[in-house]
């Protein structure tokens, strides 16, 4: 498929408030299998959100009584895949799929000191929501060579900002993070997003607005059982 076809795919993704994070060639052990035609997957585009664009679409179009973010994502991306002749897969599919590995193969993200993926433009303010696979080979989709943005960051403020020191090189104390946000002292993290993420100088134009930040943080806290 031509460069124009790639642009059409990415434009359709962006129309939904989502972001195309890059392309990769599906491998036999990726778990993507064959499409309904019985033909193997030959190209795949990683789909996610960056900054507030997805939230604006989600908050405007969802049914609050019915549409969780996963449900909204599944509906939106499945429609995109159907329109484009592809097939969508999601992080909440079972068995779990290797989205972090695919992101690395796209060549646009790196592992930050927090253990989260960091993008040279979007910083830590992004997430991977789906992958769309196609039976065609798309041209002009080779991985982009970017420099790791953390390598030139000498101060590493992300590692010294957390009020409960949840982040240490090579580890993340999930329980301490969640318990802190259940207290009055953790209100700033709960309603305004993680202080460690906010300390990162990369991608500051894409920091989530408070309603989006609190939505994600509330979901995180709810998913972590209370310490006993």
């Amino acid at each position: 498929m031509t460069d124009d076809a790639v642009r059409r795919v990415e434009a359709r993704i962006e129309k939904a408030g989502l972001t195309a994070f890059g392309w990769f060639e599906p491998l036999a052990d990726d778990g993507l299998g064959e499409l309904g035609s019985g033909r193997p997957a030959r190209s795949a585009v990683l789909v996610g959100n960056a900054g507030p664009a997805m939230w604006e679409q989600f908050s405007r179009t969802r049914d609050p009584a019915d549409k969780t973010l996963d449900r909204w994502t599944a509906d939106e991306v499945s429609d995109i895949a159907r329109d484009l002749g592809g097939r969508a897969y999601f992080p909440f599919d079972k068995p779990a799929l290797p989205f972090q590995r695919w992101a690395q193969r796209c060549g646009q993200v790196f592992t930050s000191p927090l253990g989260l993926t960091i993008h040279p433009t979007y910083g830590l303010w992004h997430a991977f929501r789906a992958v769309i696979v196609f039976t065609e080979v798309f041209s002009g989709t080779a991985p982009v060579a970017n420099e790791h943005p953390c390598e030139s960051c000498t101060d590493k403020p992300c590692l010294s900002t957390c009020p409960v020191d949840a982040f240490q090189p090579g580890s993340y104390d999930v329980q301490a993070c969640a318990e802190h946000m259940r207290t009055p002292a953790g209100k700033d993290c709960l309603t305004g997003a993680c202080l460690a993420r906010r300390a990162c100088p990369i991608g500051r134009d894409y920091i989530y607005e408070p309603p989006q930040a609190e939505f994600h943080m509330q979901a995180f806290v709810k998913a972590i059982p209370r310490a006993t």
Side-chain angles (χ1 to χ4, degrees):
M1 301 291 280
T2 65
D3 291 351
D4 286 342
V6 172
R7 285 191 287 270
R8 284 197 298 272
V9 169
E10 294 179 349
R12 179 67 179 84
I13 291 168
E14 291 170 6
K15 185 178 179 181
L18 298 165
T19 301
F21 277 92
W23 295 74
F24 63 95
E25 179 183 353
L27 302 177
D29 62 349
D30 280 335
L32 296 174
E34 296 182 342
L35 277 69
S37 62
R39 297 170 60 194
R42 303 287 300 280
S43 297
V45 59
L46 183 63
V47 180
N49 64 277
M54 180 202 69
W55 177 257
E56 293 170 0
Q57 290 273 56
F58 171 61
S59 58
R60 185 175 66 250
T61 61
R62 70 167 173 155
D63 177 355
D66 177 56
K67 296 271 187 172
T68 64
L69 181 57
D70 285 352
R71 176 77 176 275
W72 180 88
T73 300
D75 289 345
E76 289 291 322
V77 180
S78 294
D79 284 348
I80 294 170
R82 187 164 44 250
D83 291 348
L84 298 171
R87 179 175 177 180
Y89 293 84
F90 303 93
F92 42 81
D93 287 338
K94 301 298 181 184
L97 295 167
F99 273 78
Q100 298 295 326
R101 187 174 74 197
W102 294 337
Q104 298 287 346
R105 276 165 47 195
C106 289
Q108 296 196 41
V109 297
F110 305 87
T111 301
S112 73
L114 299 181
L116 304 171
T117 57
I118 186 167
H119 187 279
T121 300
Y122 308 125
L124 300 169
W125 304 101
H126 67 273
F128 307 125
R129 300 289 173 191
V131 66
I132 302 176
V133 300
F134 303 91
T135 59
E136 299 89 351
V137 175
F138 284 73
S139 64
T141 58
V144 177
N146 286 312
E147 293 185 2
H148 196 315
C150 300
E151 291 182 352
S152 59
C153 181
T154 57
D155 294 337
K156 301 289 190 294
C158 61
L159 292 177
S160 60
T161 305
C162 176
V164 292
D165 295 324
F167 295 101
Q168 298 295 327
S171 68
Y172 169 40
D173 190 337
V174 178
Q175 196 69 52
C177 179
E179 293 300 330
H180 175 65
M181 285 190 283
R182 292 186 174 115
T183 70
K187 184 177 180 181
D188 191 14
C189 293
L190 182 67
T191 60
C194 169
L195 288 174
R197 290 175 74 182
R198 283 154 59 188
C200 177
I202 306 299
R204 300 195 63 81
D205 290 342
Y206 296 91
I207 292 176
Y208 298 157
E209 294 294 329
Q212 180 180 4
E214 184 170 6
F215 176 89
H216 292 302
M217 299 305 274
Q218 290 279 11
F220 165 74
V221 171
K222 184 178 180 180
I224 306 301
R226 289 182 177 271
T228 56

